[in-house]
Amino acid sequence: FWHRAERKLDFRRENVLFVDDTLAVLRTAKRYGVGLLVYKARGSSRALPGTNREFPTIMDFNELL
């Protein structure tokens, strides 16, 4: 995924901000070299917040603004 996305979107992986609610996806992005990774603890308003100790965490995208 990341190789194709980088070619198609022409980004520099070390400058990318990537937010996801799945730790496995964030770990894959980290291995690829994505520079700014954030865990979204509440992937759905119906779900309980997840926990992690690996990445900076937000509950809502408004926290990034």
Side-chain angles (χ1 to χ4, degrees):
F1 167 81
W2 283 107
H3 292 286
R4 279 186 19 205
E6 187 174 18
R7 273 195 316 269
K8 188 168 187 135
L9 300 173
D10 191 33
F11 61 79
R12 295 179 62 172
R13 61 182 90 168
E14 64 273 8
N15 295 333
V16 169
L17 168 62
F18 182 67
V19 180
D20 202 274
D21 63 343
T22 306
L23 290 171
V25 172
L26 288 168
R27 289 177 188 128
T28 300
K30 182 178 181 178
R31 281 193 303 273
Y32 187 70
V34 174
L36 306 164
L37 300 166
V38 176
Y39 175 68
K40 187 168 185 300
R42 184 167 236 148
S44 165
S45 61
R46 296 179 189 183
L48 293 174
T51 60
N52 99 91
R53 293 177 186 228
E54 294 177 64
F55 304 100
T57 302
I58 61 170
M59 295 294 246
D60 186 273
F61 285 109
N62 290 326
E63 296 177 54
L64 297 175
L65 301 177

